[in-house]
Amino acid sequence: MSGVIERYHSWIGLPEGRAISLSEGSTPLVHWDSWGHSNIFLKLEGLNPTGSFKDRGMTVAVTNALAEGAKAVICASTGNTAASAAAYAARARIPALVVVPQGRVTKEKTLQALAHGARFLTIEGNFDDALHAVRQSVQSIPWLALVNSVNPWRIRGQETGAYEVVDELGRPPEALVLPVGNAGNISAYAQGFRRYSGILPKMFGIQAAGASPLVQGHDIPNPETLASAIRIGKPASSASAKEAVAQSQGAFLSVSDEDILAAQKELAHGGIFVEPASAAAYAGLLRLRQDNRIAGGNIVVVLTGHGLKDGSTPNAWIDASTRLISAGELGEALHDMIGVAQHVAH
Ligand SMILES: *Cc1c(COP(=O)(O)O)cnc(C)c1O
């Protein structure tokens, strides 16, 4: 399978040349459930090469950076941008510099970026501080390309998520539900639907309660949530996100960390394992259903990142389910488990 640059070349509009690609995109759109007159589809963005949707934008941003003569890329990151930038820079054989907030990036995402050879700079403060510092300092360094979602090529690449949804369903869905951190992805989907189909579905942007500047209408100086990928208090793309939500008569909603964990568990029990930020979108969908705001038609929930990227939340599940037995006890233990299975079946 080709990557998004090849698949949607004329829509992306990069000049001809070598594409830096890992065959990202073309992710599954799973029919999850039917609720009344609504069909719920889940877009599994965790199946991209580095396990998040960031790869759609990164292939385009790094390809463009290289074409413009950049010698290295840099980003501020809550983890997934770093992992993706590191992988695509490695593919392009140029260095990636990643600036991360101290103690705030999961071990798994750090491992990914390190494995691909990224150089880490850890700074005091949160993601918003890191992005601000990076934006300030890159201005004077022409050979260094900024690959955060403030780079319009990132947004252009991420539009391909919307193109794929339209191609797969044959038309735009009635509504799109996705998690919002720096608000680049919701802006990209809106722009993608508008450009590719001329129709903007209702856009529902879901934030974690402790990091919900777009719900509350003002910046949050110290955002807090266990969903580290959306722990952002000052979204860089808030203007375009607000515009998309207002124009489509959608909404920004917040969900608690408790709701996020419950949603993560519900998806996992249906065979789909996502990281907490992505589960926030599903928690948002459950809230919309509860409030009778699902009006029918196709509803697409964008599940942005894979569950294996965040080992901190499932530890509770692992600890609770570990029972050590001797080999001789296995028969009896299986017998107990069959009892449980029969109990569940009835
Ligand atoms: C980056 C990210 C988000 C938030 O996307 P924004 O474009 O920053 O709003 C949500 N979920 C995951 C898994 C992410 O990596």
Side-chain angles (χ1 to χ4, degrees):
M1 185 67 76
S2 61
V4 297
I5 293 177
E6 201 176 322
R7 184 170 177 190
Y8 294 110
H9 195 269
S10 62
W11 290 94
I12 290 176
L14 272 177
E16 286 296 333
R18 181 169 76 109
I20 305 301
S21 171
L22 294 164
S23 292
E24 59 294 314
S26 302
T27 55
L29 186 67
V30 174
H31 183 233
W32 173 251
D33 207 352
S34 300
W35 296 346
H37 296 293
S38 294
N39 280 303
I40 310 299
F41 292 90
L42 307 178
K43 181 87 169 139
L44 303 191
E45 289 291 279
L47 275 71
N48 276 295
T50 74
S52 87
F53 73 84
K54 301 295 198 298
D55 297 344
R56 292 180 184 279
M58 204 56 72
T59 178
V60 179
V62 172
T63 296
N64 181 69
L66 221 63
E68 290 186 344
K71 300 289 176 247
V73 296
I74 187 168
C75 64
S77 181
T78 59
N80 283 337
T81 301
S84 186
Y88 283 82
R91 183 84 168 139
R93 310 238 169 245
I94 59 172
L97 314 178
V98 304
V99 181
V100 296
Q102 185 183 21
R104 298 304 223 159
V105 176
T106 71
K107 214 178 1 180
E108 293 78 6
K109 296 173 189 177
T110 304
L111 169 62
Q112 282 186 290
L114 286 173
H116 296 306
R119 327 270 162 94
F120 268 73
L121 295 156
T122 302
I123 68 160
E124 295 165 356
N126 59 31
F127 169 82
D128 302 294
D129 303 322
L131 180 59
H132 181 74
V134 170
R135 291 182 82 170
Q136 293 286 305
S137 48
V138 293
Q139 279 168 357
S140 55
I141 312 177
W143 49 267
L144 190 54
L146 178 63
V147 294
N148 279 102
S149 59
V150 295
N151 178 331
W153 290 107
R154 272 280 309 276
I155 302 292
R156 179 49 59 86
Q158 287 169 213
E159 283 182 31
T160 60
Y163 308 167
E164 287 178 14
V165 168
V166 173
D167 284 345
E168 188 123 350
L169 297 176
R171 58 193 160 90
E174 270 56 44
L176 189 87
V177 186
L178 80 176
V180 173
N182 217 14
N185 209 31
I186 189 171
S187 303
Y189 267 90
Q191 190 171 297
F193 283 122
R194 283 190 186 114
R195 288 184 67 231
Y196 199 68
S197 72
I199 296 169
L200 183 62
K202 272 188 194 296
M203 304 292 283
F204 291 101
I206 314 302
Q207 300 206 289
S212 54
L214 292 164
V215 179
Q216 298 191 39
H218 56 81
D219 292 349
I220 308 290
N222 297 305
E224 270 311 332
T225 167
L226 59 80
S228 56
I230 52 171
R231 189 189 288 140
I232 293 176
K234 196 171 182 290
S237 299
S238 63
S240 46
K242 282 183 201 162
E243 203 253 340
V245 163
Q247 203 207 345
S248 68
Q249 296 176 305
F252 292 110
L253 303 177
S254 66
V255 292
S256 67
D257 280 4
E258 217 176 7
D259 293 342
I260 290 173
L261 289 177
Q264 186 190 31
K265 195 171 257 184
E266 187 171 321
L267 287 169
H269 288 174
I272 293 173
F273 188 27
V274 300
E275 68 170 285
S278 315
Y282 189 71
L285 177 80
L286 297 177
R287 169 74 55 76
L288 288 169
R289 175 168 73 167
Q290 202 176 30
D291 297 349
N292 269 322
R293 291 171 73 179
I294 302 213
N298 294 327
I299 316 293
V300 172
V301 183
V302 184
L303 297 178
T304 46
H306 202 285
L308 292 174
K309 279 175 162 290
D310 190 340
S312 55
T313 43
N315 272 346
W317 308 349
I318 294 168
D319 295 344
S321 59
T322 306
R323 174 182 161 201
L324 186 66
I325 55 168
S326 69
E329 290 168 319
L330 183 59
E332 198 186 329
L334 285 178
H335 198 78
D336 293 347
M337 285 188 173
I338 290 163
V340 170
Q342 279 167 345
H343 182 76
V344 169
H346 288 122

